[in-house]
Amino acid sequence: MPAQHPKVVIAGAGFGGIEAARALAKAPVDVTIVDKQNHHCFQPLLYQVATAALSPADVAWPIRRIFRRQANATVLMATVRGVDTARRIVHTDAIDLAYDYLVLATGAAHSYFGHDEWADAAPGLKRIEDATRIRRRILIAFERAELATDEKERKRLLTFVIVGAGATGVEMAGAISEVARQTLATDFRRIDPRTARIVLIEAGPRVMPAFPESLAGYVRRTLAAKGIEVMTQTRVTGCDMRGVDLDHGRIDAGTIIWAAGVVASPAAQWLGAEHDRAGRVQVGPDLSVPGHPEIFALGDTAAAAYPDGRPIPGIAPAAKQMGRYVGRLIAARIAGTPSSRPFRYRHQGDLATVGRHAAVVKLGRMELTGFLGWLFWSVVHIFFLVEVRDRFIVAFTWAWDYITFQRGARLITEVRRDDRD
Ligand SMILES: Cc1cc2nc3c(=O)[nH]c(=O)nc-3n(C[C@H](O)[C@H](O)[C@H](O)COP(=O)(O)OP(=O)(O)OC[C@H]3O[C@@H](n4cnc5c(N)ncnc54)[C@H](O)[C@@H]3O)c2cc1C
């Protein structure tokens, strides 16, 4: 009988899980990557699918294809439901998987702050399905406004509310403004899409709280120039299919998009482990779960910290660095050369775009805005796409859209009951 290799199960093929599996490519292990989707999604560009600039296949890739050349990796499409830490078994909706090492990289989901009943009226952006659903709603709103005979109803349909003014909310608001004021400007006869009202609501005192004040000021001015209303220190107290209730008033709206909060995947519950308020597993300096040196949590599902205790942000580079670290740590342990080096996160910078030649970039002390920032943002995002083919397609699509003001992915497909009020 050939000697059995140690079994490493990686739950989640997002940014963190993929890096962990790649770091184990040359190790004498059997890696099983289990994900509930058959594709890895590049979330930073999802808003472009939601606003018809890119197609789903430009920002997502079959996980099986990513690992086609990694002989020690098996890809399974199944949903993790729980972990038996005593017997070292992962329970999925399809099969049970035994492990010697377990990596939990199942990411995060939207948080409606205890109001999950708002989810249908105000979808968030996390998966490809979310992006195509939001795209459908935005495009249907314009179609129905063209059909509306009542002026009040027409105004409601042409009102778009985005809840949450972090990077995703700002990117969505900027892109919807461009759809209304540029892409669709001359496509309708009974309505003028340029009259669309776009409102960005933020409970905190300013937009882009993760960015310095100077860059947030630039973002706010750019949003105003694009005709976007920004309401800070405003709380949403209710969402339904016809609008949002605020702590002071109501906005009737045809489309509501939720970009306000995230909660970690239920990994902490599967393990019965300590977690923070966002549900993220409290991990030790080597990202292992206290009491379980064979289980690691990483990316958006882990509450990891800098040595001074500040939380490591829930962004793609952090998940990738954690994945690489955990993969190498497991390989070293199996090779009998365990390392006691703790995980150290290197923050490379923050970027966000507000739309056509407008972006903010913070790299150490360097700050970029405007066209230069936008160029830098575009190059970085193209560089990090998984497939070379998509780098060309996305670069070409952006160049074409830039010249023509068009967006090519404007199809309305699979209309569902909950897309109508
Ligand atoms: C709209 C949006 C825009 C963003 N923009 C940026 C940006 O510009 N820059 C940046 O750095 N970061 C950005 N982020 C954050 C970044 O995408 C996340 O920090 C990063 O994806 C976290 O990586 P992860 O590996 O922890 O989780 P994810 O990449 O979310 O991957 C989790 C994986 O686990 C799978 N999964 C979940 N539950 C289960 C289960 N029960 N069973 C099996 N599989 C499961 C999912 O299908 C998914 O494939 C953005 C996020 C969003 C939502």
Side-chain angles (χ1 to χ4, degrees):
M1 288 284 286
Q4 285 246 326
H5 286 155
K7 294 186 180 65
V8 182
V9 173
I10 299 176
F15 287 101
I18 284 188
E19 286 299 318
R22 281 180 170 160
L24 286 162
K26 298 205 171 90
V29 289
D30 288 332
V31 181
T32 302
I33 302 142
V34 54
D35 199 296
K36 61 182 177 181
Q37 314 270 1
N38 84 330
H39 52 268
H40 164 73
C41 174
F42 190 81
Q43 293 168 11
L45 288 183
L46 263 186
Y47 83 96
Q48 297 227 348
V49 176
T51 52
L54 294 176
S55 294
D58 299 336
V59 301
W61 305 273
I63 300 163
R64 208 167 279 297
R65 180 170 167 76
I66 294 171
F67 290 103
R68 67 194 181 283
R69 294 210 183 92
Q70 187 168 328
N72 70 353
T74 300
V75 175
L76 299 177
M77 183 177 162
T79 302
V80 174
R81 297 270 192 239
V83 179
D84 183 336
T85 55
R87 293 169 55 219
R88 298 194 175 182
I89 288 174
V90 175
H91 299 298
T92 77
D93 58 351
I95 52 170
D96 288 346
L97 298 166
Y99 66 83
D100 298 300
Y101 293 93
L102 173 61
V103 180
L104 294 170
T106 38
H110 311 297
S111 165
Y112 289 87
F113 308 120
H115 289 282
D116 288 350
E117 71 276 12
W118 298 349
D120 273 344
L125 191 57
K126 191 79 195 155
R127 302 164 308 158
I128 291 287
E129 295 94 307
D130 300 328
T132 51
R133 184 181 187 197
I134 289 171
R135 178 180 72 185
R136 208 161 51 227
R137 287 204 181 172
I138 292 171
L139 296 175
I140 287 176
F142 285 103
E143 295 299 335
R144 293 185 56 213
E146 178 86 337
L147 292 168
T149 47
D150 175 58
E151 187 51 30
K152 202 167 159 220
E153 178 63 357
R154 184 177 292 178
K155 274 200 171 139
R156 184 185 76 81
L157 289 164
L158 289 179
T159 300
F160 300 83
V161 170
I162 300 108
V163 185
T168 301
V170 163
E171 287 172 348
M172 278 301 302
I176 295 174
S177 165
E178 286 173 6
V179 168
R181 308 203 205 293
Q182 293 166 0
T183 315
L184 300 181
T186 56
D187 287 14
F188 290 82
R189 297 294 170 262
R190 294 157 55 109
I191 58 164
D192 181 353
R194 287 168 291 200
T195 60
R197 182 181 179 205
I198 300 153
V199 190
L200 181 60
I201 297 175
E202 168 60 43
R206 69 168 169 92
V207 299
M208 305 282 267
F211 282 69
E213 183 71 53
S214 54
L215 294 182
Y218 168 83
V219 168
R220 187 160 187 144
R221 288 191 298 280
T222 309
L223 290 169
K226 287 177 178 291
I228 297 160
E229 290 173 46
V230 178
M231 294 183 174
T232 47
Q233 292 188 311
T234 304
R235 261 174 210 291
V236 169
T237 57
C239 291
D240 57 62
M241 294 302 282
R242 300 188 63 82
V244 290
D245 291 313
L246 307 175
D247 46 9
H248 45 265
R250 176 175 169 86
I251 301 176
D252 290 332
T255 309
I256 308 164
I257 297 156
W258 190 262
V262 290
V263 61
S265 71
Q269 291 166 34
W270 300 334
L271 303 173
E274 295 281 315
H275 56 84
D276 68 2
R277 279 178 54 202
R280 296 177 307 171
V281 181
Q282 299 283 4
V283 289
D286 66 353
L287 305 180
S288 68
V289 177
H292 291 284
E294 75 289 4
I295 304 179
F296 300 86
L298 54 87
D300 283 3
T301 233
Y306 287 99
D308 65 5
R310 278 177 302 132
I312 293 173
I315 55 175
K320 288 171 91 166
Q321 290 179 32
M322 290 185 209
R324 213 170 300 140
Y325 170 88
V326 166
R328 287 177 184 165
L329 188 85
I330 294 172
R333 278 204 208 159
I334 287 166
T337 53
S339 156
S340 55
R341 190 175 61 87
F343 173 69
R344 288 266 186 276
Y345 170 59
R346 280 185 53 241
H347 189 64
Q348 288 144 343
D350 296 294
L351 348 171
T353 176
V354 202
R356 201 178 165 77
H357 50 227
V360 284
V361 176
K362 172 132 180 66
L363 298 174
R365 287 201 192 148
M366 189 178 81
E367 292 182 1
L368 296 176
T369 56
F371 183 73
L372 260 187
W374 178 76
L375 212 55
F376 186 86
W377 177 94
S378 306
V379 170
V380 166
H381 281 75
I382 285 172
F383 180 76
F384 282 111
L385 293 175
V386 173
E387 296 270 348
V388 176
R389 166 192 164 274
D390 293 303
R391 291 187 197 151
F392 283 110
I393 290 179
V394 170
F396 176 78
T397 308
W398 284 352
W400 184 256
D401 293 355
Y402 187 78
I403 297 163
T404 62
F405 290 87
Q406 276 310 308
R407 284 168 183 259
R410 277 167 47 190
L411 306 187
I412 299 173
T413 53
E414 291 180 64
V415 180
R416 307 209 182 125
R417 260 180 77 86
D418 65 1
D419 293 324
R420 303 158 187 275
D421 55 15

